[in-house]
Amino acid sequence: MPAAPKDRDQPWLMRTYSGHSSAKASNELYRTNLAKGQTGLSVAFDLPTQTGYDADSPLARGEVGKVGVPISHIEDMDQLFAEIPLDKMNTSMTINATAAWLLSLYVGLAQRRGIAPSQLSGTTQNDIIKEYLSRGTYIYPPGPSMRLIADTINYTVKHVPKWNPTNVCSYHLQEAGATPVQELAYALCTAMAVLDRVKASGEIEAQAFPQVVERISFFVNAGIRFVEECCKLRAFGELWDQLTLTRYQVTDPKLRRFRYGVQVNSLGLTEAQPENNVQRIVLEMLAVVLSKRARARAIQLPAWNEAMGLPRPWDQQWALRMQQVMAFETDLLEYGDILDGSPVIAAKVSELIEGARREIENVEAQGGIIAAIESGYIKRELVGSHMDRLRAIESGDLKIIGVNCFQETAESPLTLGGDGAIMKTDPAAEREQIERLQAHRRNRNDAEVRAALQALTDAAKSGENVMPGSIRCALAGVSTGEWGDTLRAVFGEFRPPTGIDIAIDSRQVLGKKDQVSELRERVARTGNAIGRPLKLLVGKPGLDGHSNGAEQVAVKARDVGFEVVYDGIRLTPQQIAQAAQEEGVHVVGLSILSGSHMELVESVLQELRSRDLANLPVIAGGIIPREDAERLVALGVRAVYTPKDFSLNAIMGDIVDLVRECNGLERLGLLH
Amino acid sequence: MTQIVDLPDPEQLALRILRRERAAVASGLNLLDNKLAEARNRSARLLAALAGEHWLKDGHLIGITGPPGAGKSSLVAAMIREWRLSGRSVGVLAVDPSSRPELGGGALLGDRIRIKHASYDEGLFIRSLANRNQLGGVANEVWPMSWLMLACFDIVVIETVGVGQTEIDIAEIGDTVCYVAQPASGDTIQYLKSGIIEIPDIFAVNKADLGAAAHKTASEIGRSAPRQDRREDWDYPVCLVSATTHTGITAMLEHCDRHRSFLANAGWLDKLRLRHQRAWVVRLLKEEFGTFGLELLGGRHLIGQRLSENPSHQFAEYERMRKHIFSRFISINQPGSPTT
């Protein structure tokens, strides 16, 4: 017998992370998704918007509307939320370095529509620390960046009380390789850094500080080891409860609740046999809903085909339906916490708590998370953990169905369609966005724009909260690039440690020992035959900051004997070609995950040709659909690697053979 | 051995390098790095073709060293900005350590990211190098590469991590050696004790924004530095700089310029460079042919003499000596070829 509806718990907020091409196209998608039963919005912004550039900036080329929606000014924001009531909607924005700006556009739009900011509810991700470590859409150095976060918190606590101004992210730490213990420790260290900064700003009176603590929410990852993940979330809750009590003296237990949203793991999704991702996603969701005491407040699920390219509306619908089946068909929401009292769960939770405490103490002893980032410690730890994971996959110790075992498969009907089973962004989107932006610039009041920007500069310099000045900018029609540049002029820009300066950890991190020895021998022999050691340039063109793949390739190449030049993220094709020339490399590897591979790779090849380097071999890696891979090869790219190529040793073997072939030596073939 | 790599014509390449063509500079550096027998021949020819009076008088070779973490790259970046503003072109050789040979001998060359400027600049050229575990901490290739750069850039900077022996090597390359210290660091204290302090011409205490600690370190160095009397007319300045706040950089560059004029006016600049070239030629002959090879040429002393006799054409002489050794090897090993 079905239980009476009154006995059921309220389900979590259901969202789908989406946005693409233009504000208009994204608005249509949002309204369709809401009609399908989605209960909140999760906005994906494109990389120029995330990194504070206008659509017509040279660095934005090829990136406009690719990984999300371009928002250049308040009219774009208006179009994005056309026919969506801001006072009733719960909107989550995945935005970090420019969070204060996008929030200002949202608040400014609400004001224009006659809605009081106090009516607004939603979340800005606004966690810069994981941007330095993993996601890469930072702009300013840590000091000013933390100040921007504090400004948004101080502003929203007073004026937009239902808003979650920052979502401390452990999600991206896991993507960068973090173990559950590292995820717990670094996320909590981040939260402490944020709260300490707000406290130090002195804008909040001591008795109001528990309200600030209550507004801190988290954005968490859940991987396929769902029992451990479930325990991780219970550990999070307990650690946060203790931390807020002891460190911040929050006496009301309600204000100490660990509130979090989830996107389940995209790292474990496979390109091979992609239909298996459906069960992976469902099991990962189970980890964050199973335990009532540690249940997610909001969930967004990836689509089954995210390792192949951008999902289509139907793919996203499928992800939403998974949540709805879990919430409305199963009996999960009819019970209290079904894990309470389990000694196995309790033991695992204490193990995680103890490990996390030790690592938190370790980071605190180094002067806190910012100091540990600046010294490169955390990045090295993450790159090391990630290397361990890849080694386990290569050796087969970590099984991934369809990838390193059970590879046999019938042809999947899911991928047979003419569209390659992925969404294509509108190729005209970039041009249209630029035209729209330039028309907007012509139609606004220049004097007002100048005055608003001047006020923003003054606030940034004086230490006054930048939010009121930013809202004024939003209403005056200032563009995203203008806001970003104004603060760049005051704060400067940041280049973080790359994390690839980790020591060679003897044989442990190197994958199959025999293959590594063989590779080293091949690299050395080839270097001797062509007269100098093999030199590889690893380049990340464009604005995409997902550097994990590039870093792993760089570290692996070094470990097998290459001399590796890695210049970090956000490079123009011209800079990459210039580095290839100045450094005299034998091969160039490009890593692109933003979907702009066609434009960016072609530009790099063109720049190389203009420097007489047409014969320099170029390979590319990233989330690149098969059809695009074929086009890249036709353009002259020598090899394309996608998530299905999990064996770094095999890739290294290929690179050596490629260099050999280009230098008139015979290929050595597969590794033994 | 079959010719498997397209090697450039060295005399043609030298002309293009003197015209400051970037592609030629890159290709010349590749050639100097190449260990194939034919590449070694052509490298010697390339250096001989670049040689000349101007080479001993023009430009400025600056070695920058210091312990890891002292902020050398950021300081070099700040120095480059100033030089570029004053219209001088800059070539940089950034040397990073290699992993041990039994661990593959690979290297991660990460200096570019710290040195380079955001935008494209025709007047700046950066080549990163691994030290390849060579004795002394600086790869042999750095010497000829720095001379090639000297033929086409106003300033050539060699940046190395100071780990004991490196300082001695760097003193054998640069006209001017700068040591970058960081405030209150154990490394600096060790350095002061080690006696290597006698090498640098200019001391820079970085991170001057730290305040008292920086002043303390500067005065410690100041007390130790003038004790040595290598060149009695030079004052061994200690400057306080901050790469982050960009302070003290101009003063430091003025010291560099002053040191160069000091060497030139005393008539030491060309002598210093000749001595460095000579030392490298002997080192390279030894690397390629061993003690036996040196003996075939009559021993170190005689080699030194032959090189000094024709100072502006040491590399032509070097080439002749290599050919001589080869011919001797061939006559000893008849009828085989020495390179099989």
Side-chain angles (χ1 to χ4, degrees):
Chain A
M1 276 296 289
K6 65 176 161 57
D7 292 329
R8 291 182 72 89
D9 290 321
Q10 275 294 315
W12 50 88
L13 269 172
M14 298 182 194
R15 296 178 170 132
T16 314
Y17 182 52
S18 54
H20 68 90
S21 300
S22 66
K24 190 161 180 284
S26 302
N27 173 262
E28 281 162 20
L29 177 65
Y30 293 169
R31 283 188 286 125
T32 319
N33 286 349
L34 290 169
K36 286 174 181 167
Q38 192 174 295
T39 48
L41 288 176
S42 171
V43 183
F45 295 99
D46 73 353
L47 287 167
T49 306
Q50 292 188 50
T51 49
Y53 294 105
D54 277 334
D56 54 358
S57 154
L59 260 170
R61 196 173 158 237
E63 304 277 20
V64 178
K66 278 279 162 43
V67 301
V69 58
I71 298 295
S72 303
H73 45 77
I74 195 166
E75 304 310 331
D76 286 345
M77 200 59 137
D78 190 33
Q79 205 166 47
L80 185 66
F81 290 96
E83 294 173 55
I84 296 174
L86 296 184
D87 48 346
K88 301 202 172 61
M89 185 46 56
N90 189 309
T91 304
S92 167
M93 302 189 213
T94 299
I95 196 74
N96 294 281
T98 54
W101 173 239
L102 272 298
L103 179 59
S104 297
L105 288 171
Y106 198 72
V107 171
L109 177 65
Q111 286 179 1
R112 225 169 64 170
R113 291 187 185 175
I115 297 164
S118 61
Q119 299 293 104
L120 299 175
S121 60
T123 305
T124 33
Q125 191 165 79
N126 206 14
D127 168 13
I128 204 67
I129 286 176
K130 58 88 172 61
E131 298 296 329
Y132 296 136
L133 292 172
S134 163
R135 201 169 161 272
T137 68
Y138 54 80
I139 305 175
Y140 314 109
S145 294
M146 292 303 285
R147 179 252 173 117
L148 287 177
I149 294 172
D151 281 358
T152 51
I153 295 174
N154 285 328
Y155 182 84
T156 53
V157 166
K158 289 177 195 153
H159 304 286
V160 202
K162 289 194 283 177
W163 198 264
N164 299 305
T166 178
N167 222 334
V168 174
C169 295
S170 79
Y171 178 86
H172 311 83
L173 302 176
Q174 186 178 106
E175 297 273 302
T179 62
V181 164
Q182 288 173 326
E183 207 185 321
L184 286 164
Y186 301 153
L188 292 169
C189 286
T190 301
M192 285 190 264
V194 168
L195 286 171
D196 292 351
R197 183 66 184 73
V198 172
K199 208 169 193 179
S201 77
E203 279 195 48
I204 305 286
E205 287 167 34
Q207 68 268 27
F209 200 72
Q211 269 71 50
V212 176
V213 174
E214 194 260 346
R215 288 328 295 167
I216 302 292
S217 57
F218 290 77
F219 185 61
V220 177
N221 205 331
I224 193 72
R225 292 172 55 82
F226 72 95
V227 178
E228 186 178 40
E229 292 292 52
C230 194
C231 294
K232 176 184 83 186
L233 290 157
R234 291 169 72 97
F236 248 135
E238 286 187 32
L239 282 163
W240 183 242
D241 184 70
Q242 291 154 8
L243 186 83
T244 49
L245 179 64
T246 55
R247 192 177 171 110
Y248 301 106
Q249 289 82 45
V250 180
T251 46
D252 181 353
K254 268 200 241 154
L255 302 182
R256 299 201 303 264
R257 274 196 300 224
F258 178 73
R259 300 180 309 124
Y260 74 99
V262 175
Q263 155 100 13
V264 306
N265 197 313
S266 293
L267 177 69
L269 300 186
T270 64
E271 184 188 359
Q273 302 178 29
E275 61 280 2
N276 295 338
N277 294 328
V278 172
Q279 50 269 30
R280 291 190 180 103
I281 294 165
V282 171
L283 289 168
E284 288 166 353
M285 172 173 41
L286 204 54
V288 300
V289 295
L290 204 53
S291 167
K292 180 174 173 176
R293 282 205 294 130
R295 188 169 290 152
R297 301 293 176 106
I299 298 179
Q300 51 193 38
L301 297 180
W304 65 281
N305 54 351
E306 279 195 12
M308 299 159 58
L310 273 184
R312 302 158 297 186
W314 177 77
D315 307 314
Q316 293 202 328
Q317 175 191 313
W318 195 356
L320 174 65
R321 296 290 184 248
M322 290 176 204
Q323 295 200 47
Q324 290 167 331
V325 169
M326 184 77 83
F328 303 124
E329 287 188 22
T330 76
D331 56 352
L332 181 73
L333 296 181
E334 294 166 18
Y335 299 96
D337 196 299
I338 59 173
L339 298 176
D340 275 355
S342 157
V344 179
I345 296 288
K348 183 71 193 172
V349 171
S350 357
E351 179 197 320
L352 291 170
I353 287 178
E354 271 166 47
R357 282 222 178 96
R358 273 197 302 275
E359 188 57 15
I360 291 171
E361 279 166 25
N362 181 13
V363 172
E364 290 288 287
Q366 296 179 43
I369 190 118
I370 304 262
I373 285 172
E374 287 177 334
S375 73
Y377 166 78
I378 300 214
K379 188 72 185 181
R380 274 194 300 278
E381 291 293 302
L382 293 177
V383 172
S385 295
H386 199 50
M387 203 73 192
D388 286 347
R389 182 186 137 82
L390 292 186
R391 175 180 47 87
I393 295 174
E394 272 192 280
S395 69
D397 291 346
L398 184 65
K399 292 202 168 20
I400 301 189
I401 308 304
V403 174
N404 65 358
C405 58
F406 306 114
Q407 291 103 326
E408 305 74 19
T409 179
E411 190 160 23
S412 165
L414 278 178
T415 52
L416 281 183
D419 57 0
I422 50 160
M423 163 102 176
K424 300 269 169 25
T425 51
D426 180 0
E430 182 159 318
R431 188 177 41 77
E432 286 170 13
Q433 182 66 16
I434 290 173
E435 284 167 6
R436 207 174 130 75
L437 170 64
Q438 290 172 346
H440 169 78
R441 284 202 196 107
R442 285 192 295 274
N443 291 334
R444 60 189 187 172
N445 181 329
D446 282 341
E448 256 173 57
V449 167
R450 273 196 305 275
L453 286 172
Q454 186 55 50
L456 179 65
T457 301
D458 295 344
K461 282 186 179 159
S462 72
E464 187 188 317
N465 196 314
V466 298
M467 282 299 297
S470 297
I471 294 168
R472 180 175 167 193
C473 286
L475 290 167
V478 162
S479 72
T480 298
E482 289 162 344
W483 185 88
D485 286 344
T486 300
L487 294 188
R488 273 185 191 91
V490 180
F491 297 150
E493 286 183 76
F494 185 64
R495 281 197 174 271
T498 57
I500 59 163
D501 50 345
I502 55 171
I504 293 191
D505 196 2
S506 65
R507 256 126 235 131
Q508 200 191 348
V509 296
L510 296 173
K512 282 189 185 171
K513 170 70 170 66
D514 49 341
Q515 288 201 343
V516 168
S517 310
E518 193 187 342
L519 276 166
R520 286 177 175 170
E521 189 275 326
R522 286 185 181 193
V523 170
R525 176 148 54 110
T526 306
N528 288 338
I530 64 178
R532 57 192 181 107
L534 299 192
K535 202 169 180 183
L536 163 72
L537 174 71
V538 177
K540 275 200 70 63
L543 291 173
D544 149 46
H546 289 86
S547 52
N548 302 329
E551 285 154 5
Q552 294 304 322
V553 168
V555 170
K556 184 71 176 196
R558 185 275 308 261
D559 287 351
V560 299
F562 280 88
E563 293 185 352
V564 182
V565 181
Y566 174 55
D567 282 358
I569 62 170
R570 247 183 260 177
L571 300 172
T572 62
Q574 196 184 32
Q575 286 173 317
I576 288 172
Q578 187 189 7
Q581 179 180 59
E582 290 182 8
E583 296 292 352
V585 296
H586 295 103
V587 55
V588 175
L590 301 175
S591 163
I592 304 162
L593 287 95
S594 65
S596 340
H597 42 266
M598 291 312 302
E599 296 88 340
L600 289 171
V601 173
E602 196 169 0
S603 308
V604 171
L605 293 174
Q606 209 173 336
E607 290 285 341
L608 287 173
R609 278 195 297 273
S610 75
R611 285 171 176 74
D612 291 339
L613 293 173
N615 294 325
L616 182 64
V618 174
I619 59 174
I623 297 182
I624 299 176
R626 190 164 37 178
E627 188 188 315
D628 286 357
E630 285 162 10
R631 284 165 60 206
L632 288 174
V633 169
L635 287 173
V637 172
R638 302 298 296 262
V640 176
Y641 297 97
T642 64
K644 74 174 185 311
D645 303 295
F646 65 93
S647 168
L648 285 174
N649 284 339
I651 294 175
M652 292 299 135
D654 285 0
I655 296 177
V656 174
D657 267 349
L658 179 58
V659 174
R660 294 182 67 87
E661 192 180 292
C662 293
N663 286 279
L665 297 165
E666 84 288 2
R667 299 177 70 97
L668 299 172
L670 294 179
L671 294 164
H672 300 114
Chain B
M1 184 183 284
T2 49
Q3 178 76 32
I4 52 162
V5 185
D6 291 328
L7 294 172
D9 175 88
E11 287 76 22
Q12 290 285 326
L13 193 60
L15 290 175
R16 292 176 55 210
I17 290 169
L18 292 169
R19 286 201 301 264
R20 303 186 166 203
E21 286 180 31
R22 298 177 75 85
V25 175
S27 150
L29 293 174
N30 295 348
L31 180 64
L32 294 175
D33 200 13
N34 198 313
K35 295 292 171 300
L36 296 181
E38 179 53 25
R40 284 178 184 264
N41 290 335
R42 291 184 190 218
S43 290
R45 277 166 60 195
L46 174 64
L47 290 171
L50 288 171
E53 282 293 304
H54 61 92
W55 213 17
L56 298 172
K57 293 201 162 34
D58 294 352
H60 194 180
L61 263 181
I62 302 174
I64 295 184
T65 189
K72 289 179 296 301
S73 305
S74 318
L75 181 60
V76 169
M79 293 165 79
I80 289 172
R81 204 180 323 157
E82 290 299 316
W83 278 318
R84 293 298 301 130
L85 282 173
S86 66
R88 295 202 251 184
S89 62
V90 184
V92 181
L93 288 169
V95 185
D96 273 319
S98 300
S99 61
R100 297 199 306 278
E102 67 274 21
L103 293 175
L108 288 169
L109 310 172
D111 277 330
R112 266 192 100 75
I113 184 174
R114 293 188 286 272
I115 293 175
K116 70 143 187 274
H117 293 219
S119 57
Y120 179 73
D121 180 356
E122 278 283 343
L124 172 64
F125 192 110
I126 303 169
R127 168 72 58 114
S128 324
L129 269 171
N131 71 4
R132 300 178 187 157
N133 295 295
Q134 287 173 22
L135 200 69
V138 177
N140 273 340
E141 298 80 23
V142 174
W143 274 260
M145 287 185 173
S146 69
W147 296 325
L148 184 151
M149 283 189 161
L150 197 57
C152 52
F153 295 104
D154 301 329
I155 306 275
V156 177
V157 174
I158 300 146
E159 189 211 324
T160 59
V161 178
V163 278
Q165 281 300 302
T166 329
E167 288 88 348
I168 296 172
D169 259 2
I170 202 88
E172 296 285 306
I173 303 181
D175 305 328
T176 301
V177 176
C178 303
Y179 180 84
V180 185
Q182 62 174 334
S185 97
D187 297 312
T188 307
I189 310 297
Q190 283 307 312
Y191 180 80
L192 291 170
K193 289 181 186 163
S194 72
I196 302 172
I197 192 164
E198 307 208 345
I199 286 166
D201 305 296
I202 296 170
F203 297 86
V205 178
N206 199 4
K207 306 182 186 178
D209 41 309
L210 294 181
H215 285 276
K216 185 162 174 280
T217 305
S219 64
E220 278 169 354
I221 295 176
R223 276 199 300 279
S224 315
R227 250 183 247 158
Q228 31 97 33
D229 47 3
R230 234 174 358 128
R231 289 181 195 122
E232 49 205 32
D233 298 330
W234 179 244
D235 57 0
Y236 299 91
V238 182
C239 13
L240 280 165
V241 297
S242 166
T244 26
T245 59
H246 205 80
T247 46
I249 310 295
T250 329
M252 184 181 171
L253 296 191
E254 277 163 15
H255 288 306
C256 287
D257 285 348
R258 199 164 57 82
H259 184 253
R260 192 195 177 285
S261 315
F262 163 77
L263 291 175
N265 295 341
W268 286 337
L269 184 64
D270 50 348
K271 289 199 182 65
L272 192 67
R273 288 185 181 172
L274 286 171
R275 200 178 73 216
H276 293 166
Q277 292 180 359
R278 213 150 48 227
W280 176 78
V281 166
V282 174
R283 191 204 273 233
L284 211 68
L285 286 170
K286 171 122 191 265
E287 183 202 73
E288 200 177 0
F289 305 108
T291 317
F292 182 62
L294 296 186
E295 291 304 320
L296 284 177
L297 291 167
R300 276 172 194 270
H301 183 67
L302 206 64
I303 296 171
Q305 261 186 2
R306 281 178 65 179
L307 289 169
S308 331
E309 275 162 20
N310 196 357
S312 55
H313 293 99
Q314 298 200 79
F315 294 109
E317 191 55 39
Y318 162 58
E319 202 198 330
R320 277 194 289 280
M321 289 193 232
R322 287 186 74 246
K323 282 193 180 134
H324 176 74
I325 299 180
F326 275 131
S327 68
R328 294 293 299 272
F329 270 126
I330 290 164
S331 61
I332 293 166
N333 296 331
Q334 285 287 0
S337 142
T339 51
T340 47

